[in-house]
Amino acid sequence: MTDKLIVSTSPHLHKKESVSWIMWMVFIALLPSGLAGIYYFGLRALWLILISILAAVVTECVCLLLRRKKITLLDGSAVVTGLLLAYNLSPAVPFWMPVVGSFFAIAIVKQAFGGLGRNIFNPALCGRVFLLLSWPKLMTGFIKPFSNVDAVTSATPLVLFKESAANVYNIGLTYWDLFLGRRSGCLGEVAIFALIIGAAFLLVFKIISWHIPLTYAVTLGLFSWLFSASGFARGDVLFSILSGGVILGAFFMATDYVTCPLTRKGQLIFGASCGLLTFLIRRWGGYPEGVSFSILIMNAFVPLIDRFTRPRVYGKK
Amino acid sequence: MKLYALFKEFSKGIFKENPIFVIVLGLCPALAVSTSLENALGMGVAATFVLVFSNLIISAIRKKVPNKIRIPCFIVVIASFVTIVELLIAAYVPLLQKQLGIFIPLIVVNCIIMGRAEAFASRNKVLPSIFDGLGMGAGFTLALSLVALIREVLGSGKIFGHLIFKEFNPASIMVLPPGALLTMGVLIAVANLIKQKRK
């Protein structure tokens, strides 16, 4: 693989990290959460993941052929996109949905903009939002862990929270349940402990930095605590971070190299803005969860953030 | 020979200088109204009417209009015809008026009409101007209908309001604003591809 993705400002001395190495590391880091999802939601979750990845890879192949480019499947970026898209789906969705979502993510969001490294928005999240806006009923029909698909669809903790402004115990869950993932939600977002294992792996190998995830979670927690529905400074910080897709979004999708700011300062702004937007959507928006929307909105601001946080040239004022 | 020249003025609006896919003008109504084929055709016919008659009048008075105030003059002419169209639609097809709503009066500020007045009618004789208006109107209507056809089929599974697929779960994003932009983007890409191939 000759094309290396350069993601830093000067100095330009590099380790021999290639795009494919990073992508496969992200893939490995995502595996625990997927295994947990399969454990909670059954073999159906495994099929969804496999179909999503297959659809992403096939679409990537076809697009690269049409664009007369070298087929670069081994770089793993399509595989990671497919995997992330599956993690963002309810485990109860019909099997054609990951296919449509993966196709949209790869063909429109990634390849139409020029392929790997040139997309403005995170492909997997765009795929999810496309599906959410197209088939809102199917996308929000969640199931409880260890139940079959035909079981009564159950609302996610965030939906219950928004409707009744209750605290975590009224919903019938404990923080421990949220941490382990014993709640309804998207396939790969429920198992917080598994996501944290993966995130720690990425942090240790310095594939992601703490800047975006930390500012994201802290800002979201702070605002959820201060301006909660049950009064000023009475919000539930832990619940706001453990529920929904914050951990998955903050560690694995907001940190996407292509669509996040280059400088550390820019990343702090990016993470904090994502957190604020997520809080605003959850608290006053029409949707119970706003992680995907806020990351996509902030993706659009990345060029601006990069322009205003351009590092000072050495020796100049 | 003369007939051929007139036909050329007409046909350029449909392919070579298609107002939506090639010149990329008048996108506001094209994006907003193309949710169904019915709306698109109504909008296309209304805009074509205004385009033809405003081109006719503007071309006829082109020597009398002082250069400095030509734009206000054009707008007065265009606004008159838009008013006529609006009242006609309200009288004979009130349902369409309800569907199109604010976008009928907004034809006044449609860039295609203004653009043709400025770029063609104010510099050419009456007959070519009429054919230019007809061609541009036809191109606009065809482009709008194509966008609307794609959006209606994918977004609500219907054509002209008739359900065509029973076992089809329509993607409602296609009848929402993002669907309009997506369809338009893909179609403009296809138009560019065809243009490149021809060269």
Side-chain angles (χ1 to χ4, degrees):
Chain A
M1 226 42 52
T2 46
D3 54 328
K4 292 198 175 71
L5 187 64
I6 297 167
V7 289
S8 69
T9 51
S10 59
H12 294 296
L13 290 171
H14 294 281
K15 231 169 92 177
K16 276 190 183 162
E17 287 174 1
S18 62
V19 172
S20 53
W21 186 78
I22 291 173
M23 287 297 172
W24 289 115
M25 290 301 259
V26 173
F27 183 83
I28 293 167
L30 280 167
L31 282 180
S33 171
L35 293 176
I38 295 165
Y39 172 70
Y40 285 128
F41 300 111
L43 267 185
R44 191 188 164 76
L46 178 66
W47 285 118
L48 280 175
I49 292 171
L50 290 180
I51 289 172
S52 181
I53 292 177
L54 188 71
V57 167
V58 169
T59 314
E60 173 105 337
C61 260
V62 171
C63 284
L64 287 172
L65 275 179
L66 285 176
R67 293 180 60 216
R68 298 195 182 78
K69 300 267 173 185
K70 225 173 76 193
I71 306 277
T72 50
L73 278 183
L74 282 178
D75 70 11
S77 62
V79 176
V80 169
T81 299
L83 188 68
L84 275 175
L85 178 79
Y87 281 14
N88 277 290
L89 298 174
S90 152
V93 296
F95 286 130
W96 54 265
M97 277 184 79
V99 178
V100 178
S102 283
F103 171 79
F104 183 81
I106 298 286
I108 306 282
V109 185
K110 188 175 165 199
Q111 294 294 346
F113 281 85
L116 180 62
R118 297 202 176 83
N119 48 302
I120 306 171
F121 299 102
N122 184 316
L125 276 180
C126 277
R128 172 194 148 82
V129 167
F130 179 85
L131 295 176
L132 182 66
L133 291 180
S134 290
W135 298 280
K137 273 223 176 99
L138 291 173
M139 279 296 282
T140 48
F142 292 105
I143 49 173
K144 278 216 170 90
F146 307 120
S147 61
N148 64 337
V149 183
D150 305 319
V152 191
T153 56
S154 94
T156 60
L158 273 173
V159 175
L160 298 170
F161 195 71
K162 186 156 193 160
E163 279 167 0
S164 56
N167 65 30
V168 66
Y169 299 106
N170 294 9
I171 296 168
L173 292 169
T174 59
Y175 292 120
W176 190 238
D177 284 332
L178 290 177
F179 185 71
L180 287 180
R182 285 196 294 236
R183 56 139 171 133
S184 54
C186 290
L187 205 164
E189 73 174 20
V190 290
I192 303 294
F193 75 97
L195 286 169
I196 288 178
I197 293 172
F201 175 77
L202 289 184
L203 282 169
V204 165
F205 279 91
K206 295 207 167 126
I207 289 168
I208 61 172
S209 69
W210 54 268
H211 299 77
I212 292 176
L214 189 75
T215 44
Y216 195 147
V218 167
T219 318
L220 176 66
L222 182 72
F223 278 98
S224 307
W225 174 63
L226 281 180
F227 304 105
S228 78
S230 47
F232 184 73
R234 290 176 65 186
D236 192 336
V237 178
L238 258 180
F239 178 79
S240 72
I241 297 172
L242 290 179
S243 59
V246 180
I247 301 291
L248 178 64
F251 280 102
F252 294 96
M253 291 188 292
T255 53
D256 176 10
Y257 280 8
V258 183
T259 55
C260 78
L262 294 169
T263 58
R264 295 293 181 233
K265 206 165 53 172
Q267 290 175 355
L268 295 178
I269 299 171
F270 181 85
S273 312
C274 283
L276 178 63
L277 278 173
T278 306
F279 160 73
L280 287 174
I281 293 172
R282 277 187 184 178
R283 180 77 174 80
W284 289 294
Y287 288 90
E289 174 61 311
V291 170
S292 31
F293 289 114
S294 21
I295 295 177
L296 286 179
I297 291 170
M298 286 319 293
N299 280 169
F301 283 99
V302 164
L304 270 181
I305 296 175
D306 272 340
R307 181 189 293 178
F308 287 112
T309 56
R310 201 179 287 165
R312 190 171 60 95
V313 177
Y314 184 68
K316 284 193 179 175
K317 263 200 171 173
Chain B
M1 188 60 209
K2 205 171 163 241
L3 211 70
Y4 178 70
L6 285 180
F7 177 72
K8 248 188 133 177
E9 295 300 350
F10 173 76
S11 68
K12 75 171 190 293
I14 296 177
F15 296 110
K16 227 176 99 202
E17 291 179 31
N18 186 298
I20 289 196
F21 295 144
V22 180
I23 317 180
V24 199
L25 282 181
L27 283 193
C28 170
L31 293 172
V33 167
S34 59
T35 47
S36 74
L37 211 50
E38 215 177 320
N39 291 355
L41 281 178
M43 183 71 195
V45 171
T48 308
F49 176 86
V50 177
L51 204 47
V52 169
F53 281 94
S54 65
N55 262 12
L56 190 159
I57 299 291
I58 286 164
S59 154
I61 61 168
R62 70 183 187 278
K63 281 177 186 150
K64 302 270 188 286
V65 177
N67 200 31
K68 277 189 181 163
I69 56 156
R70 64 183 197 286
I71 302 281
C73 292
F74 296 165
I75 289 186
V76 170
V77 174
I78 296 167
S80 317
F81 283 108
V82 170
T83 313
I84 294 173
V85 164
E86 198 195 354
L87 292 176
L88 278 175
I89 291 180
Y92 292 104
V93 260
L95 221 75
L96 188 68
Q97 198 220 12
K98 227 180 188 175
Q99 293 267 319
L100 295 180
I102 187 69
F103 289 100
I104 304 173
L106 276 182
I107 298 177
V108 178
V109 286
N110 190 319
C111 310
I112 303 170
I113 294 163
M114 206 55 216
R116 290 335 279 174
E118 171 74 9
F120 198 89
S122 63
R123 287 164 205 188
N124 286 286
K125 288 186 181 152
V126 175
L127 210 55
S129 296
I130 293 177
F131 276 86
D132 177 75
L134 270 176
M136 284 291 161
F140 179 67
T141 313
L142 283 176
L144 207 56
S145 309
L146 185 61
V147 176
L149 179 73
I150 295 173
R151 288 183 68 191
E152 199 181 355
V153 168
L154 293 181
S156 44
K158 295 174 181 173
I159 291 181
F160 277 118
H162 296 292
L163 208 61
I164 46 167
F165 304 121
K166 277 214 177 108
E167 300 294 316
F168 175 66
N169 213 335
S172 51
I173 195 173
M174 295 309 284
V175 288
L176 297 172
L181 292 164
L182 284 172
T183 316
M184 204 70 96
V186 171
L187 285 177
I188 289 177
V190 172
N192 280 343
L193 192 73
I194 293 171
K195 236 172 33 185
Q196 270 178 7
K197 282 260 162 79
R198 274 194 183 169
K199 264 178 198 167

